[in-house]
Amino acid sequence: ENGIVRINLSRKIRDYQKNMMDKPIQLIFSTGSNIPVGVIRGDILGIDTDKLIEVGLFDWPPSTQSTYIQKVEADEMGNFQFIGIENGQYSITAVEGVLWDMNKQIENKKYEIMF
């Protein structure tokens, strides 16, 4: 009750010619009466357009125990957006590949952190 359901369709979905989608698709539904209207948008510069970049939204201040609140993929131009979020303070981390454990991934993946 009064929960948010997020469905993210990855850019990894390909057509018959094996072309990756140019941007991911996000769908948000609510089991309550409304959906939060907060949006955070950003751009990641200098990316390889053939690689996937996942961006995680974390609570502020960051800690070693932080798990992401929400994650999205950047589009082929490096643009990303978090939609349907509550007002608050957040940090954002982007990783080349799949974001699963930032503390372990910063040792061997390209990454970016924004506060």
Side-chain angles (χ1 to χ4, degrees):
E1 191 173 316
N2 293 325
I4 300 295
V5 177
R6 298 176 191 279
I7 299 173
N8 293 313
L9 300 177
S10 175
R11 288 185 55 218
K12 294 182 220 176
I13 297 172
R14 298 176 187 264
D15 64 12
Y16 287 115
Q17 302 298 318
K18 307 235 185 239
N19 298 310
M20 205 167 22
M21 294 193 318
D22 63 345
K23 62 183 175 182
I25 297 172
Q26 292 180 323
L27 304 171
I28 299 178
F29 302 95
S30 174
T31 59
S33 60
N34 53 5
I35 297 173
V37 296
V39 177
I40 296 175
R41 290 185 177 96
D43 303 314
I44 302 170
L45 304 175
I47 67 166
D48 181 346
T49 58
D50 293 331
K51 296 195 177 183
L52 289 175
I53 306 292
E54 283 198 347
V55 185
L57 182 69
F58 295 83
D59 278 323
W60 179 262
S63 75
T64 57
Q65 304 300 332
S66 292
T67 57
Y68 60 83
I69 299 166
Q70 187 182 148
K71 73 176 181 174
V72 296
E73 289 179 357
D75 67 16
E76 68 181 1
M77 303 304 292
N79 304 309
F80 66 89
Q81 72 175 357
F82 294 99
I83 56 177
I85 60 172
E86 299 284 344
N87 287 335
Q89 292 184 333
Y90 302 98
S91 64
I92 298 172
T93 301
V95 173
E96 190 174 271
V98 177
L99 175 64
W100 52 273
D101 185 340
M102 191 61 214
N103 292 325
K104 293 179 181 175
Q105 289 180 286
I106 61 174
E107 295 175 9
N108 59 7
K109 294 275 187 186
K110 291 182 181 177
Y111 70 95
E112 179 175 340
I113 300 174
M114 297 165 270
F115 301 103

